[in-house]
Amino acid sequence: MHTEYFIVDKENPDKAVLSKAAELLKQGKLVAFPTETVYGLGANGLDEKAAAGIFSAKGRPSDNPLILHIANREDVDQLATHISTNAKVLMEAFWPGPLTVVLRRKAIVPDIITGGLETVAIRLPDSIVARQLIFMAGTPIAAPSANTSGRPSPTSAQAVLDDLEGKIHAVVDAGNCQIGVESTVVDCTTPVPTLLRPGGVTLEMLMATVGEVEIDPTLAGSFELAPKSPGMKYSHYAPDAPMVLFEGAYPHLADLLLLEVKTALAEGKKVGAVVSTETAARLPKEVVAFVYGSRKRIDEIAANLYKALRSYDDNPVDIIYTEGIPEDGLGLAIMNRLRKASGYRIVNG
Ligand code: AMP
Ligand code: MG
């Protein structure tokens, strides 16, 4: 299959170009497009066959449900019922934006979207390109991250093509995604809203808005429990080489990381390191380093995270050592992704 390539301006996308992409979506085809979080792989979310294409292109397990993306707040009422006050408050506060709410589904939502659950996940993205495309397609758009299942999510059109060229009908390029980690998923069917996946809207922001927020126990990494967000149980975001994550207080964790780096170099290994500006200054020259930003700029670290994990695709190493950060703000989402990417190989300083 030939993958068509469309390029548009992030703030002021050419409508004629977007309408070509929207036309493909209407025909049941697969179109990757940017959002403010990561690039999504879109298909008509009310068309069972179109949505099935997402699972085959990504190699995604069929019990991992998809998020429906909408263009207007009112579109929720077509898809979900029993919308709680908390859900309304959250949508009011964070839409358009990187918040996904889980609500009771209506019958119009195909089983393939919900993975057979009685709930549906819905988001109104902030990205102008995403919203205009969804609006022009005239239907909710199912859009998981546009990567091969298990790989780091794409934050550029090139990263989408690296995984899915020839497997999807088109990609819309509007440059790099601003946020860089996926949306926050909140289950609003429980009496107290439950955080299922940390993301672009922080836990602190949620709590400041609705008061109490429960945290799904599976986020602590206990895989004995059936995850309510089925996607959380799969290995995810992983680079090709094994990765070890260093957690704990700074600069102690950097001391430990540097010791491991030196040991691995002495063993003749080719070593990668995903680290802060602060730590990079201390790395031996032989290390293939990706500097994800300053420890003082968590937003920069989030925006560079998946690019860092993908940077070893073209420059393979034997092992990657990664520097953890505090779990405040966006740090919670970043550490959640790094723990999964490392397959829970964690050194606690
Ligand atoms: P992705 O779009 O690939 O970033 O993943 C979407 C995330 O939302 C996955 O973790 C899914 O398991 C989760 N999700 C989608 N629908 C539901 C739902 N109805 N209930 C709980 N989690 C969901
Ligand atoms: Mg994903």
Side-chain angles (χ1 to χ4, degrees), residues 159-194:
V160 173
L161 291 170
D162 288 345
D163 279 17
L164 298 177
E165 183 155 30
K167 296 182 177 171
I168 62 177
H169 299 93
V171 60
V172 178
D173 185 349
N176 295 334
C177 303
Q178 303 95 290
I179 297 179
V181 290
E182 295 84 347
S183 63
T184 304
V185 181
V186 177
D187 185 352
C188 294
T189 66
T190 47
V192 175
T194 307

Side-chain angles (χ1 to χ4, degrees), residues 60 64-67 102 117 119-121 144-145 182 196-197 228-231:
R60 184 174 175 107
N64 190 359
L66 304 176
I67 296 172
V102 172
L117 297 173
T119 53
V120 59
S145 49
E182 295 84 347
L196 302 182
R197 175 176 77 180
K228 273 199 221 119
S229 184

Side-chain angles (χ1 to χ4, degrees), residues 126-178:
D126 188 37
S127 152
I128 294 166
V129 173
R131 264 188 292 148
Q132 285 201 355
L133 179 64
I134 298 163
F135 179 75
M136 286 174 164
T139 177
I141 298 294
S145 49
N147 52 279
T148 299
S149 215
R151 297 247 307 139
S153 302
T155 50
S156 67
Q158 186 54 53
V160 173
L161 291 170
D162 288 345
D163 279 17
L164 298 177
E165 183 155 30
K167 296 182 177 171
I168 62 177
H169 299 93
V171 60
V172 178
D173 185 349
N176 295 334
C177 303
Q178 303 95 290

